Amino acid sequence: MDESCVMTWTGNRLIARLSGEVDHHRASRLRDLLDREIRSAAEKHCLVDLIFDFEDVTFMDSSGIGVVMGRYNTICETGGTVYVTGCGPYVERILEMSGVFLITKKRKNVQEALDESEGRVKENHVH
Amino acid sequence: MYTENRPDEVRWKNQLTAEFPAIPENEALARSLSAAFAAQADPTVEELTEIRTAVSEAVSNAVIHGYPQGNGQVRLELYLGEDGQLTIIVEDHGVGIEDVSLAREPLFTTGKDGERSGMGFTVMESFTDRLDVISELGKGTRVTMTKRLDLSYER
């Protein structure tokens, strides 16, 4: 089983690419990984938006909801947005059930989320 | 415990029972076992994913909520009926659920770390045809799910 979550920074945006099977077992490790990264970025005031990419997720149960929701709570404290991208039909079905898409933005892929996120950040600079 | 609810022995054509420690590592094991068992009924990819997900939820519940102190066994029973009906039973002998109908409500959770979505039973319910939950405080919980795999049988 692939245990990885690849985290990449693009400016002030953190892209978390999940892969393989996301279950309760995996989810607790994912949370630790993500929280460590988010916490250290938050201390430096350099985290704006978080982009979750589910493109390479082969299985997910309801524990994936907690992974997104828990991080949402942190990100929205600083006024950031959480994007959810690359959802297959099952990932989407699970997330939809819990209303995750009411508080996050669902986009087709990482690029689409990045474009929107960057646009918003530029807009904020003008004000 | 709960023997009265098992599928009628005469009517199923295959059966598998597995018992394993209630540790998170075994969630994947239970999913794989269930998918492999169900495969003989020639399910669609969609049905297999639904089975894997429902089993994952039930076993996770047993691991997390059934045995909050750790240490316990989870029993997985799979039955395949002549009519293409799959019955999945996940049983633990843990703490039990105080109020089953409340626990089945979407978003209800006793998890205190804010990381549990409370959607486990809702997922099981929507990914199978029928969900029964029997629980007794201090004795354990038994989740029975049935799912019709061979829908062409009805024609």
Side-chain angles (χ1 to χ4, degrees):
Chain A
M1 202 194 297
D2 189 357
E3 297 284 342
S4 68
C5 164
V6 180
M7 288 183 278
T8 345
W9 285 92
T10 305
N12 290 346
R13 282 155 287 272
L14 175 61
I15 305 163
R17 290 189 167 88
L18 313 186
S19 58
E21 310 205 323
V22 180
D23 60 6
H24 152 245
H25 179 46
R26 265 297 287 298
S28 53
R29 289 193 223 177
L30 279 174
R31 287 197 298 265
D32 291 346
L33 270 174
L34 284 163
D35 283 345
R36 209 174 307 140
E37 191 77 11
I38 291 170
R39 213 177 304 126
S40 75
E43 278 163 14
K44 292 175 239 154
H45 304 286
C46 64
L47 176 66
V48 179
D49 292 341
L50 172 62
I51 302 171
F52 278 106
D53 185 31
F54 288 93
E55 179 97 53
D56 296 325
V57 170
T58 53
F59 172 86
M60 192 183 92
D61 65 17
S62 71
S63 57
I65 300 168
V67 173
V68 178
M69 291 286 214
R71 269 22 74 199
Y72 165 82
N73 292 335
T74 320
I75 300 292
C76 74
E77 266 172 35
T78 51
T81 301
V82 175
Y83 291 89
V84 175
T85 68
C87 295
Y90 290 98
V91 169
E92 184 159 336
R93 212 166 137 190
I94 302 256
L95 292 178
E96 187 90 68
M97 258 182 225
S98 60
V100 163
F101 296 131
L102 299 173
I103 54 170
T104 64
K105 290 186 175 178
K106 179 174 69 178
R107 294 296 175 261
K108 214 186 304 158
N109 50 44
V110 171
Q111 196 51 53
E112 213 173 84
L114 265 181
D115 290 347
E116 191 178 321
S117 170
E118 279 161 5
R120 196 177 64 83
V121 170
K122 273 178 209 139
E123 203 179 75
N124 284 348
H125 278 297
V126 178
H127 292 301
Chain B
M1 162 170 91
Y2 316 131
T3 43
E4 74 282 2
N5 257 24
R6 282 185 169 75
D8 187 351
E9 291 196 12
V10 198
R11 288 178 51 214
W12 47 261
K13 61 176 178 186
N14 205 355
Q15 201 274 324
L16 175 78
T17 302
E19 207 171 307
F20 43 82
I23 54 173
E25 285 82 348
N26 284 332
E27 292 157 9
L29 175 79
R31 286 200 295 274
S32 304
L33 273 177
S34 308
F37 181 83
Q40 61 194 298
D42 202 21
T44 62
V45 176
E46 184 172 322
E47 286 168 334
L48 270 184
T49 306
E50 289 169 343
I51 292 162
R52 282 159 49 82
T53 313
V55 168
S56 196
E57 299 293 352
V59 174
S60 299
N61 270 356
V63 172
I64 303 164
H65 305 292
Y67 300 107
Q69 313 298 334
N71 280 347
Q73 292 286 110
V74 179
R75 187 182 166 96
L76 170 72
E77 287 178 41
L78 300 160
Y79 298 86
L80 184 64
E82 296 285 355
D83 56 355
Q85 176 158 289
L86 177 73
T87 302
I88 305 161
I89 298 175
V90 176
E91 187 176 291
D92 67 63
H93 295 98
V95 297
I97 301 168
E98 199 172 339
D99 184 341
V100 171
S101 52
L102 183 63
R104 288 178 67 152
E105 290 283 319
L107 304 175
F108 174 85
T109 181
T110 53
K112 289 169 188 70
D113 57 357
E115 298 290 352
R116 308 249 60 86
S117 67
M119 294 300 286
F121 280 128
T122 309
V123 170
M124 287 181 240
E125 221 156 39
S126 70
F127 281 20
T128 61
D129 299 332
R130 191 192 156 98
L131 167 72
D132 289 305
V133 185
I134 303 174
S135 191
E136 210 176 314
L137 278 182
K139 292 223 167 132
T141 301
R142 178 162 182 243
V143 170
T144 305
M145 296 175 279
T146 55
K147 188 173 178 64
R148 197 62 183 275
L149 293 178
D150 185 13
L151 289 174
S152 60
Y153 184 84
E154 284 173 8
R155 285 201 287 268

